[in-house]
Amino acid sequence: MRPVNVLVGVDPVVCRPATDTATCAAHHAIRHAVFVAEQGVFADSDLDAHDARDDVVHVLATHLGRPAGTVRLYPAGRPGEWVGDRLAVLPGFRSAAIGGPLVRFAVEAAGARDGTRMRAHVQLPNERFFHRLGWSTDGPVETYVGHPHIPMSTPLAGPTTPWLAGPGRAA
């Protein structure tokens, strides 16, 4: 009989808002490692004005307790519309299926905050990944932060997990 490696009752991937100093530092370190050091999308830092907003949600994914990936989301300024960006997974965790849970978490968290649609500018090689998660292409390729990206969007629903609505908003 061949040995079987089974993980029962424990999800190795956990996504949560980064709310304390340690999780925020891990969130930003992953973004820097991927967008600055690895991909060269940004020269020195990927931080921008959105990071200082009170309504931005920085998300950290851990895999078996180790920081593995991030995503950032915030209201776009039009009622019900949210933006998801800075989706990043460290190279050593890319085979651990971190991206899907991060995107699903962002979609549910935005829906929990009265969002009706989420938009993103997606790197071209990731378009198919987003299609598999139910997103639609929203127009032709455009330049975003100096690189070709495809605009995509997905409708949002209300929360299935009330605590995602944030402090004072849970039902």
Side-chain angles (χ1 to χ4, degrees):
M1 182 178 254
R2 292 177 35 195
V4 178
N5 184 7
V6 178
L7 188 60
V8 178
V10 176
D11 189 349
V13 179
V14 175
C15 299
R16 291 206 176 253
T19 56
D20 60 54
T21 304
T23 57
C24 286
H27 169 93
H28 290 296
I30 291 170
R31 285 175 34 185
H32 184 86
V34 172
F35 295 121
V36 178
E38 178 190 350
Q39 296 181 358
V41 173
F42 302 97
D44 298 313
S45 173
D46 77 312
L47 297 176
D48 62 18
H50 296 297
D51 288 304
R53 292 172 52 166
D54 290 337
D55 57 356
V56 72
V57 181
H58 295 97
V59 180
L60 177 67
T62 58
H63 182 269
L64 297 174
R66 296 173 33 213
T70 67
V71 69
R72 175 178 78 173
L73 58 140
Y74 52 89
R78 290 180 289 280
E81 191 167 301
W82 280 72
V83 173
D85 69 1
R86 302 301 201 267
L87 175 65
V89 176
L90 291 172
F93 292 96
R94 291 189 182 143
S95 64
I98 307 292
L102 277 165
V103 172
R104 286 189 293 273
F105 183 95
V107 165
E108 186 164 329
R113 289 166 171 81
D114 301 323
T116 57
R117 178 157 294 278
M118 179 172 268
R119 299 190 186 282
H121 286 90
V122 175
Q123 293 178 358
L124 298 182
N126 297 324
E127 182 179 15
R128 185 172 174 210
F129 166 75
F130 275 81
H131 282 160
R132 287 193 310 262
L133 293 173
W135 288 59
S136 300
T137 301
D138 240 7
V141 173
E142 52 191 42
T143 301
Y144 179 70
V145 294
H147 299 272
H149 283 70
I150 190 81
M152 300 190 78
S153 70
T154 191
L156 302 174
T160 57
T161 309
W163 69 265
L164 285 173
R169 307 242 355 235

